[in-house]
Amino acid sequence: STIDIPIVILGVDRRIRRITAAAEEQLGLIAADVGRPIGNLCTGIGPSDIEGMITEAIVGGREVTRDVQSESGRWYSLRVRPLHTGGKIEGVL
């Protein structure tokens, strides 16, 4: 069996640009969430300092990783990676 990794793409404004089907399924996101600020969403997974992780990835230009626990008690590895296009950072994955 394969594991689908949920991916959410954010712009530097912290608004959702794209979500994968796995993100919809595992994080409870919907297509209408595209354009909304990530801070306004409640996925049940993620640290309280997700905004700090995003800033660290954008400013530092490197991946930021944390182990996070979901409301159900499962542990996940959360990775925030800078999204480079045309030689500059346009957001994060």
Side-chain angles (χ1 to χ4, degrees), residues 7-73:
I7 299 173
V8 179
I9 300 174
L10 308 174
V12 291
D13 61 358
R14 276 95 168 141
R15 292 184 179 274
I16 297 174
R17 286 189 182 173
R18 289 189 54 205
I19 54 178
T20 62
E24 289 181 11
E25 180 181 322
Q26 295 177 36
L27 301 176
L29 299 175
I30 58 172
D33 290 326
V34 172
R36 293 181 60 196
I38 192 70
N40 288 4
L41 302 178
C42 179
T43 63
I45 298 174
S48 59
D49 67 337
I50 186 70
E51 295 277 350
M53 289 181 69
I54 293 167
T55 298
E56 190 176 338
I58 291 171
V59 173
R62 66 183 184 288
E63 180 179 296
V64 179
T65 304
R66 297 233 170 78
D67 290 331
V68 296
Q69 192 172 20
S70 71
E71 292 173 352
S72 67

